[in-house]
Amino acid sequence: MEEKLNKKGFIKALSEKLNYREDTCMMIHDILENNFFISRKSRDKIIQELVSRLEISEEEAINIYETAKAILNDEIQRQIKE
């Protein structure tokens, strides 16, 4: 049985999928945590905050957002199957 995804596991998964350093992924996690990540209304705000704080393009911010969402969706699906 796999271990449940916690903050450290989420940051590690982001780092592996995005090929970013873990300290950058900690910043990403903080941005996501400070906004209601699940809400579609927060998507644009999160993307703009990622662009601003990480000094990246909007396209890269969208990629980060979608990757983080996929990691969480995978975890939810995995837990439902248990």
Side-chain angles (χ1 to χ4, degrees):
M1 187 164 108
E2 289 183 39
E3 191 176 318
K4 289 185 180 177
L5 191 67
N6 57 19
K7 178 180 176 178
K8 189 175 181 178
F10 178 74
I11 290 169
K12 184 176 182 192
L14 266 180
S15 178
E16 289 171 0
K17 290 193 182 269
L18 295 171
N19 200 24
Y20 281 5
R21 294 186 356 215
E22 285 195 17
D23 59 333
T24 302
C25 290
M26 285 174 50
M27 284 179 57
I28 294 167
H29 176 271
D30 291 344
I31 292 168
L32 297 173
E33 194 172 60
N34 290 334
N35 294 281
F36 189 59
F37 180 54
I38 303 301
S39 170
R40 290 187 193 271
K41 293 177 183 177
S42 297
R43 180 182 183 270
D44 292 338
K45 181 181 177 203
I46 291 168
I47 288 169
Q48 290 309 311
E49 192 169 343
L50 289 168
V51 168
S52 174
R53 290 196 46 203
L54 300 177
E55 300 178 352
I56 57 174
S57 69
E58 186 171 337
E59 293 78 18
E60 183 62 16
I62 291 169
N63 181 50
I64 290 169
Y65 179 88
E66 295 299 329
T67 300
K69 194 168 94 172
I71 291 169
L72 291 177
N73 285 340
D74 290 348
E75 177 63 11
I76 290 167
Q77 291 298 317
R78 188 184 66 74
Q79 288 188 20
I80 288 171
K81 290 178 183 177
E82 286 183 357

